[in-house]
Amino acid sequence: ECAARHPGRVARVALLGPAVPMPVSAALLDAAQRNDHVACELITGWSYSAGAQLGGNQVPGVWLTGNALRLLERAKPGVLHADLLACHAYAGGLRAAAKLRCAVLVIVGARDIMAPPKNAQALIAALADPRIVTLPDCGHALMAEQPDAVLDALRAFL
């Protein structure tokens, strides 16, 4: 959105785990609105690939889903719902993407349940200069699951 509004000020854009539109399930929105812990559990379960939920962290002893759950639990009441509602309600993605004339890196996780790669196809089609990187065996938590691959893609792009 920023790059579309200020094209002269943005040379490149990197999008990680995008989807357009970005619908959020009613069950998740309702749980977040009630500040029900199940919202944190759903997000954590849906954000990581099966392999990452069983371990697989590059740093021994670090539990990805446990860390993510604890971070979500620290959010003040209403913050998670506001975030999810903003994602759900945002309708300008394709319009903004069509205005971009700069190079755009799109990094998707092949096993992303929160924002499946198929939900990024219309966005990618609207971009004038897209570069797509698909991380195999990776969910929505791209930077947590495969930090080196994300960093390598960003470095090569920037």
Side-chain angles (χ1 to χ4, degrees), residues 9 13 20 23 26-27 33 37 43-44 67-68 78 98-99 101 113 144 147 152:
R9 301 188 75 186
V13 173
V20 174
Q33 187 171 33
H37 193 266
I43 290 171
T44 302
N67 287 351
K99 291 182 181 180
R101 295 296 167 254
I113 296 171
D152 289 347

Side-chain angles (χ1 to χ4, degrees), residues 7-66:
R9 301 188 75 186
V10 178
R12 294 177 183 263
V13 173
L15 304 172
L16 280 67
V20 174
M22 193 176 290
V24 178
S25 77
L28 179 53
L29 281 171
D30 291 344
Q33 187 171 33
R34 294 189 316 271
N35 296 304
D36 188 336
H37 193 266
V38 76
C40 298
E41 295 168 20
L42 290 171
I43 290 171
T44 302
W46 292 337
S47 291
Y48 291 89
S49 66
Q53 290 184 26
L54 298 173
N57 192 325
Q58 298 174 15
V59 180
V62 174
W63 181 30
L64 291 175
T65 53

Side-chain angles (χ1 to χ4, degrees), residues 49 107-113 115-118 133-140 142 146:
S49 66
I107 304 177
V108 296
R111 299 192 181 272
D112 190 340
I113 296 171
K118 68 179 182 177
V133 172
T134 301
L135 301 181
D137 300 320
C138 191
H140 192 61
L142 302 160
Q146 296 190 19

